Amino acid sequence: MQIQIKAHFNKQTKDSKKEQVQFYVTGEDEKRPELNQLTREVVILQIEGLDGVELTAEFKKCSKDSKKTVLEFEVKGDSSAAQTFEFYKMAGSDVLLSITESQMDIDEFREQQEQYREGVRGKINQDGTVDVVDDENQLTIDEVAASEEADGDGPPMPDNEDDLPF
């Protein structure tokens, strides 16, 4: 199922746990029954004029009051930064929004969100220090320092404290 509605792109927010987009719908489009059918589903969002830019999101909720209908979507974590930036540039304007039902079910979406948000594994000790579980993809501080020395990034370090600027 795919629907197109005229909406006001109210806001796009992102924090460490999730990214959300919110649209206001007014007029005849807010009475469309398809909006209620797609709620709590994984959908693909597209804005007319942004060719090839689409976001996969969970349609979190559709709430109505006397003036407008608010559509809230939680964006899939691995959406490219370029695509979310293109959407962000449209925030605050009226858009023609296409909402397409995705082939992905909600359980797959949430599982991918958890995998995307997975952080560094470790244990916090009583004294406040942290023991991090080794990961073959994680660099050590010594490896980072060695690569910076090899790259020659930054100015050379002074030989003694007298050469410091302050």
Side-chain angles (χ1 to χ4, degrees):
M1 172 188 316
Q2 177 178 0
I3 60 172
Q4 281 195 327
I5 55 173
K6 293 178 184 173
H8 177 76
F9 189 170
N10 183 45
K11 66 180 176 180
Q12 180 172 6
T13 59
K14 184 174 185 174
D15 61 21
S16 62
K17 295 184 181 177
K18 62 186 173 226
E19 180 174 355
Q20 291 187 316
V21 291
Q22 184 181 76
F23 295 89
Y24 291 163
V25 181
T26 56
E28 293 300 313
D29 284 336
E30 69 180 321
K31 298 174 185 166
R32 295 181 66 176
E34 296 96 336
L35 287 176
N36 291 331
Q37 293 172 356
L38 288 173
T39 304
R40 300 277 185 207
E41 296 289 332
V42 178
V43 296
I44 298 170
L45 303 175
Q46 294 176 305
I47 294 178
E48 186 176 271
L50 297 178
D51 296 327
V53 178
E54 58 185 36
L55 294 180
T56 303
E58 179 184 355
F59 193 162
K60 290 298 263 187
K61 68 180 179 178
C62 176
S63 56
K64 298 179 183 186
D65 63 21
S66 62
K67 296 180 184 177
K68 64 186 173 296
T69 298
V70 179
L71 308 179
E72 290 188 17
F73 301 91
E74 184 175 316
V75 178
K76 183 177 168 188
D78 64 348
S79 295
S80 79
Q83 288 189 339
T84 55
F85 181 71
E86 290 299 318
F87 257 68
Y88 180 71
K89 290 193 307 189
M90 300 297 291
S93 60
D94 293 328
V95 296
L96 185 60
L97 177 67
S98 294
I99 305 171
T100 308
E101 189 172 13
S102 175
Q103 299 297 319
M104 184 184 301
D105 71 2
I106 197 71
D107 293 330
E108 290 173 322
F109 178 83
R110 289 187 178 147
E111 184 178 300
Q112 285 186 354
Q113 287 293 80
E114 287 175 15
Q115 289 174 353
Y116 173 74
R117 305 242 182 257
E118 201 170 277
V120 176
R121 301 269 183 229
K123 177 182 151 195
I124 301 175
N125 301 320
Q126 289 287 343
D127 62 356
T129 60
V130 178
D131 294 328
V132 179
V133 176
D134 287 335
D135 181 4
E136 69 272 358
N137 296 325
Q138 185 174 340
L139 293 175
T140 66
I141 268 222
D142 295 331
E143 291 171 329
V144 171
S147 72
E148 287 178 355
E149 285 177 15
D151 292 345
D153 287 342
M157 293 299 293
D159 293 334
N160 59 39
E161 292 183 23
D162 293 332
D163 293 338
L164 292 177
F166 45 85

